[in-house]
């Protein structure tokens, strides 16, 4: 008995040592369920069985990888978001959301905390770049007609992502609690209360005051103060990021469910969405379990409806492309962050507005319109623009090969004409009030309600709508009408933003350049 | 025959199932209503909007002075005193005084000396605030109470 026991002890020790030696392998197998992928099939399996990678199909169409297919803009938006999450969490270590401490904690981060300034700069630049990249991504999707059935809903998700992205930037803007922040948010909050302009003009504010309600919900008070800071902080670090992550997850998942990125018909093979394709013989051989699984997925997916010849493996080709985009985005943030500091003005002072007091740049187009009428420019026109953009995929249902910019020659021509028209009209509507004044200068006693509705901003919007309808009628194509409308929208946005950024000086007066601003 | 008095019998299972769904839906709706109420403040946290500005002799007839830190212009005339709010009625910037009255730095509204709009996006004139005299004889302005333009307080 005793001998037996000894023998067992020896064996136990040997097993222990052997298991210890194999620990790296068993640990990795317990996590990944496969060894290091060496073959193409192994890599497909790796993509398929990882929670994070399986958002990708195991194989993608070669076209997806071409630079001009997407310019990597969607991935760039995601990359900036990841950079913002990481740097944002780091900033939270020191930032304190109180009106008394916020400004000083920003100063600490900027001047005292080790690498605080760089992290802050990267966070600020990442936010700007994310807004730009999301807008460009939206343009890419629009001009390649990638919003068309079956991708209408993903376009809507994209619109929601766009709004959340802007909301994140805007709520973040208040947090430093400096003059820039305080006055930008004061103006923003008062835009929220601008339905009062209308209810006042109608004399019903006492009974029905949606403007006041919106402002109080946003600020939790009558003015920008501690309650507003608490609410903006909550939105900025918790609620909006969570919403963005959820929306983005559905956005990515839908790309796969809608059959991968849209591409021209010629490059597409059989299989309608939602139909189970006939079982495709697995390209890797009969007993390849992963491929068979992919073949019964009830959707059009890159792996089931394409000749294997049109596709390449996600690992390494797609992942490599994504990594390159991510690294370029990080590099851009770092370079800008090293070269240019994020601004920090004097501490917020409710008695002295900045002159000129400007919103963040992506809202300067709106601010220009707000300088005609707060209600129309700040609420009605943006709402009309958003609803108009959201409806595009439902009103333009012409079957069209996705993935061709402007849908060909005719589209390019319409886009160019619309661009010229939209720029001219926008410039005219800025130039007329600058040179000749507006209704109130001509008819001093004019009722307010007329000023609210008849102003350069609303006339510009009407002009764009009319132009698109004319194109729609003349060409008989809803796609060309949509191109006209979207081009007008983009051009108007760019012109108005430029005017707000560069040509408006103190008292929102017109100046050809900053160097002409009066010194004060 | 099935009618109002004798409705079509509904299977027990279906009834219980429906009742369950409705209960769950009501519970969710009720909780949502409760949650939505929370962020809408019942009392706005604010410092008092009434403030004393000194004695009437500090403001001789014919003077116009900005009350320090209060964004109010006190106008003193033979008719009495008036307090004009310097918060722009467009989007809440603080207006500057100009030769002709007031000018707003934010979107270029300008106002006449009595606060009425001359140009720009402001939807209405600057607010005239209530002036009164407190028990100790000092002048008091209530920035929460508006009075019609042209109302002068006789000291
Ligand atoms: C936070 C913002 C966003 C992120 C992170 C994001 C991410 C992505 C990614 C990674 C793709 C894959 C293709 C590509 O890289 O271009 C994609 C495709 C797409 N996105 Fe977005 N996106 C965002 C906002 C938007 C917006 C604002 C729209 C439009 C309103 C939009 C509509 C679409 C559509 C329709 C597709 C499918 C395109 C196709 O099939 O070719 N997305 N998005
Ligand atoms: S806030 Fe005064 S003009 Fe806009």
């Amino acid at each position: 008995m005793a001998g037996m026991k000894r023998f067992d002890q020896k064996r136990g020790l040997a097993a222990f040592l052997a298991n210890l030696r194999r620990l790296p392998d068993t640990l990795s197998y317990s996590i990944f369920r496969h060894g290091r992928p060496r073959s193409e099939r192994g890599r497909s399996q790796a993509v398929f069985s990882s929670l994070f990678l399986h958002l990708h199909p195991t194989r993608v169409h070669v076209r997806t990888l071409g630079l001009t297919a997407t310019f990597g803009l969607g991935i760039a938006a995601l990359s900036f978001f990841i950079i913002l999450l990481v740097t944002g969490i780091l900033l939270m270590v020191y930032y304190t959301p109180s009106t008394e401490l916020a400004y000083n904690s920003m100063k600490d981060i900027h001047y005292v905390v080790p690498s605080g300034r760089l992290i802050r700069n990267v966070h600020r630049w990442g936010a700007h770049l994310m807004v730009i990249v999301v807008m460009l991504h939206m343009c890419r999707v629009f001009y390649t007609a990638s919003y068309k059935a079956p991708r209408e809903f993903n376009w809507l998700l994209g619109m929601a992502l766009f709004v959340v992205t802007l909301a994140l930037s805007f709520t973040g803007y208040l947090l430093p609690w400096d003059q820039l922040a305080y006055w930008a948010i004061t103006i923003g909050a008062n835009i929220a209360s601008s339905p009062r302009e209308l209810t006042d003009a109608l004399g019903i504010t006492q009974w029905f005051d949606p403007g006041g309600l919106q402002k109080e919900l946003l600020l939790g008070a009558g003015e920008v103060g501690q309650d507003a800071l608490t609410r903006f902080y909550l939105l900025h670090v918790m609620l909006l990021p969570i919403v963005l992550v959820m929306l983005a997850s559905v956005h990515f998942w839908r790309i796969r469910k809608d059959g991968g990125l849209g591409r021209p018909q010629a490059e597409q093979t059989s299989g309608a969405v939602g139909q189970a394709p006939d079982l495709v013989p697995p390209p890797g051989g009969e007993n390849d379990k992963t491929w068979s699984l992919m073949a019964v997925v009830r959707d059009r997916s890159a792996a089931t409806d394409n000749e294997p010849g049109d596709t390449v493996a996600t690992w390494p080709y797609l992942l490599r492309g994504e990594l390159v985009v991510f690294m370029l985005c990080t590099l851009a943030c770092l370079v800008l962050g090293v070269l240019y500091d994020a601004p920090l003005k004097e501490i917020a002072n409710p008695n002295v507005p900045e002159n000129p007091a400007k919103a963040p740049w992506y809202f300067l187009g709106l601010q220009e319109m707000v300088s005609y009428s707060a209600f129309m420019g700040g609420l009605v026109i943006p709402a009309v623009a958003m609803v108009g953009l959201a409806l595009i995929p439902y009103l333009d249902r012409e079957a069209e090969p996705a993935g061709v910019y402007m849908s060909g020659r005719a589209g390019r021509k319409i886009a160019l004409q619309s661009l010229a028209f939209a720029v001219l009209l926008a410039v005219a509507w800025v130039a007329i009030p600058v040179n000749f004044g507006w209704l109130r200068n001509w008819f001093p006693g004019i009722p307010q309600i007329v000023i609210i509705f008849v102003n350069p901003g609303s006339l510009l919007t009407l002009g764009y709508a009319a132009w698109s309808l004319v194109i729609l009628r003349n060409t008989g194509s809803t796609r060309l009408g949509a191109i006209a409308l979207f081009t007008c929208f983009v051009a108007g946005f760019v012109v108005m933003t430029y005017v707000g950024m560069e040509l408006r000086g103190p008292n929102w007066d017109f100046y050809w350049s900053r160097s002409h601003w009066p010194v004060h | 025959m099935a009618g109002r008095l004798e409705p079509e019998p509904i299977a027990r299972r279906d009834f219980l199932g429906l009742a369950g769904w409705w209960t769950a839906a009501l519970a969710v709706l009720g909780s949502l209503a409760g949650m939505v109420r929370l962020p809408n403040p019942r009392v706005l946290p604010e410092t008092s909007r009434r403030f004393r500005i000194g004695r009437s002799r500090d403001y001789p007839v014919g003077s116009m002075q900005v009350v320090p830190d209060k964004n109010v212009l006190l106008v003193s005339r033979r008719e009495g005193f008036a307090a004009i709010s310097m918060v722009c009625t467009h989007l809440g910037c603080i207006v500057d005084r100009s030769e002709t009255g007031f000018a707003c730095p934010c979107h270029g509204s300008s106002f006449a000396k009595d606060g009425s709009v001359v140009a720009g996006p402001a939807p209405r004139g600057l607010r005239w605030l209530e002036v009164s005299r407190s028990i100790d004889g000092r002048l008091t302005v209530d920035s929460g109470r508006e009075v019609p333009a042209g109302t002068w307080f006789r000291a």
Side-chain angles (χ1 to χ4, degrees):
Chain A
M1 283 309 280
M4 205 36 202
K5 207 172 176 188
R6 229 217 202 100
F7 178 70
D8 267 354
Q9 274 170 350
K10 218 173 180 179
R11 230 181 42 179
L13 205 59
F16 172 76
L17 286 177
N19 287 349
L20 194 62
R21 231 182 346 260
R22 286 179 46 212
L23 183 61
D25 283 347
T26 45
L27 184 66
S28 123
Y29 183 80
S30 73
I31 298 172
F32 298 112
R33 292 274 170 261
H34 52 74
R36 177 186 295 241
R38 289 174 208 285
S39 63
E40 189 155 298
R41 185 193 151 231
R43 286 193 287 263
S44 296
Q45 197 186 12
V47 170
F48 190 70
S49 58
S50 148
L51 170 69
F52 299 102
L53 294 183
H54 95 286
L55 272 175
H56 304 95
T58 53
R59 300 180 72 80
V60 291
H61 197 277
V62 274
R63 210 175 173 284
T64 308
L65 295 178
L67 176 66
T68 55
T70 63
F71 292 101
L73 289 165
I75 292 298
L78 179 66
S79 307
F80 285 123
F81 181 63
I82 294 172
I83 294 171
L84 288 167
L85 273 185
V86 174
T87 50
I89 289 172
L90 287 172
L91 290 175
M92 278 175 77
V93 174
Y94 288 99
Y95 178 77
T96 324
S98 118
T99 51
E100 260 134 53
L101 303 174
Y103 183 74
N104 285 335
S105 63
M106 283 318 288
K107 260 189 157 166
D108 280 349
I109 290 171
H110 202 96
Y111 294 107
V112 183
V113 171
S115 73
R117 182 188 303 210
L118 182 62
I119 296 287
R120 170 168 187 243
N121 292 350
V122 167
H123 195 76
R124 182 61 78 116
W125 281 112
H128 285 313
L129 291 173
M130 178 165 170
V131 173
I132 296 177
V133 156
V134 168
M135 288 176 180
L136 291 177
H137 170 62
M138 188 168 167
C139 293
R140 184 301 273 175
V141 168
F142 177 84
Y143 284 115
T144 54
S146 301
Y147 56 83
K148 296 207 166 192
R151 298 184 178 80
E152 308 100 314
F153 183 62
N154 225 12
W155 173 264
L156 288 190
L157 285 172
M159 295 282 305
L161 282 166
F162 179 51
V163 172
V164 173
T165 306
L166 290 182
L168 267 168
S169 291
F170 185 64
T171 49
Y173 214 75
L174 179 63
L175 302 185
W177 204 252
D178 62 349
Q179 278 287 73
L180 210 58
Y182 182 89
W183 289 100
I185 304 304
T186 297
I187 290 176
N190 282 322
I191 290 178
S193 75
S194 66
R196 267 198 188 159
E197 238 175 55
L198 188 66
T199 51
D200 273 348
L202 299 174
I204 55 168
T205 308
Q206 251 174 301
W207 301 284
F208 177 67
D209 183 15
L213 181 69
Q214 281 192 64
K215 182 172 167 182
E216 278 168 23
L217 275 181
L218 194 62
L219 298 186
E223 278 135 42
V224 178
Q226 180 59 54
D227 294 82
L229 185 56
T230 308
R231 282 171 192 227
F232 275 55
Y233 183 66
L234 163 75
L235 287 171
H236 188 74
V237 306
M238 283 272 299
L239 190 61
L240 292 173
I242 292 177
V243 171
L244 195 133
V245 166
M246 295 199 326
L247 286 171
S249 313
V250 186
H251 192 63
F252 301 152
W253 177 75
R254 284 298 290 234
I255 298 174
R256 281 197 64 186
K257 292 290 154 184
D258 296 339
L261 296 192
R263 54 187 172 273
Q265 218 74 46
E267 296 169 49
Q268 222 152 7
T269 37
S270 63
V273 173
Q275 281 177 0
D278 294 337
L279 281 186
V280 182
E286 289 300 306
N287 46 12
D288 189 325
K289 187 155 165 253
T290 309
W291 288 107
S292 331
L293 248 184
M294 288 303 294
V296 294
V297 170
R298 280 179 167 273
D299 265 308
R300 186 203 279 174
S301 81
T304 56
D305 69 351
N306 282 301
E307 295 301 309
D310 294 347
T311 64
V312 292
T314 293
W315 184 339
Y317 299 104
L318 179 59
L319 295 183
R320 194 156 69 193
E322 290 176 354
L323 190 64
V324 168
V325 173
F326 181 79
M327 290 178 65
L328 285 177
C329 292
T330 315
L331 185 70
C333 287
L334 276 175
V335 170
L336 287 169
V338 168
L339 292 181
Y340 304 101
D341 278 349
L344 189 64
K345 298 230 173 168
E346 309 86 73
I347 190 166
N349 178 354
N351 291 322
V352 184
E354 288 278 279
N355 191 0
K358 291 195 178 188
W361 65 267
Y362 36 84
F363 286 141
L364 283 180
L366 281 187
Q367 191 171 345
E368 175 65 23
M369 304 239 264
V370 159
S371 73
Y372 309 133
S373 153
F375 177 60
M376 285 307 278
L379 281 180
V380 176
I381 295 175
V384 167
M386 285 294 135
V387 171
L389 289 177
L391 285 180
I392 284 182
Y394 297 93
L395 299 183
D396 165 29
R397 306 192 65 85
E398 274 163 36
E400 190 108 29
V404 180
Y405 279 91
M406 321 276 173
S407 304
R409 284 256 319 265
R412 273 198 294 276
K413 207 176 97 194
I414 296 291
L416 276 181
Q417 286 172 356
S418 306
L419 180 69
F421 169 80
V423 170
L424 280 179
L425 196 66
V427 170
W429 281 129
V430 174
I432 291 172
V434 164
N435 288 314
F436 306 109
W438 195 246
L439 297 176
R440 184 127 49 201
N441 308 80
W442 308 332
F443 317 102
I446 197 162
Q448 177 58 26
I449 194 113
V450 180
I451 306 234
I452 293 181
F453 288 104
V454 184
N455 66 60
S458 36
L459 294 179
L460 184 66
T461 314
L462 276 183
Y464 287 170
W467 166 264
S468 319
L469 286 177
V470 169
I471 298 285
L472 178 66
R473 230 198 59 163
N474 288 355
T475 60
S477 154
T478 50
R479 167 70 174 154
L480 294 181
I483 291 186
L485 183 67
F486 189 83
T487 310
C488 283
F489 167 77
V490 174
F493 178 87
V494 173
V495 171
M496 287 299 177
T497 307
Y498 178 75
V499 171
M501 265 169 83
E502 292 299 325
L503 306 183
R504 293 293 186 179
N507 297 344
W508 210 246
D509 285 337
F510 187 89
Y511 293 92
W512 279 112
S513 103
R514 256 164 220 270
S515 52
H516 298 174
W517 288 12
V519 272
H520 52 204
Chain B
M1 241 204 77
R4 193 166 59 84
L5 295 179
E6 277 176 70
E8 197 87 59
I10 168 170
R12 205 165 97 121
R13 234 170 211 286
D14 293 352
F15 175 76
L16 288 179
L18 276 179
W21 278 114
W22 279 108
T23 314
L26 280 179
V28 170
L29 279 181
S31 346
L32 276 182
M35 290 187 226
V36 168
R37 272 166 54 104
L38 182 139
N40 189 13
R42 185 173 296 174
V43 182
L44 296 184
E46 267 165 6
T47 48
S48 166
R49 292 177 170 239
R50 278 170 72 92
F51 48 88
R52 289 181 195 166
I53 56 171
R55 303 193 174 277
S56 41
R57 64 165 180 272
D58 299 340
Y59 301 91
V61 171
S63 71
M64 291 204 275
Q65 289 177 41
V66 179
V67 183
D69 285 343
K70 295 296 183 193
N71 300 325
V72 165
L73 182 76
L74 199 92
V75 186
S76 171
R77 288 229 210 125
R78 194 156 316 162
E79 296 98 303
F81 298 101
I84 299 181
S85 158
M86 294 178 71
V87 177
C88 181
T89 51
H90 180 227
L91 292 176
C93 287
I94 307 302
V95 295
D96 296 321
R97 296 178 60 194
S98 67
E99 278 137 48
T100 53
F102 306 89
C104 182
C106 290
H107 315 99
S109 286
S110 56
F111 304 87
K113 286 212 164 75
D114 66 351
S116 55
V117 195
V118 179
R124 43 162 300 183
L126 295 175
R127 301 185 319 141
W128 284 46
L129 305 174
E130 189 187 79
V131 185
S132 58
R133 188 188 287 281
S134 62
I135 307 172
D136 62 1
R138 287 171 211 254
L139 289 178
T140 306
V141 173
D142 188 340
S143 61
R145 289 213 190 163
E146 192 178 348
V147 293
T151 311
W152 296 92
F153 174 74
R154 287 190 161 279

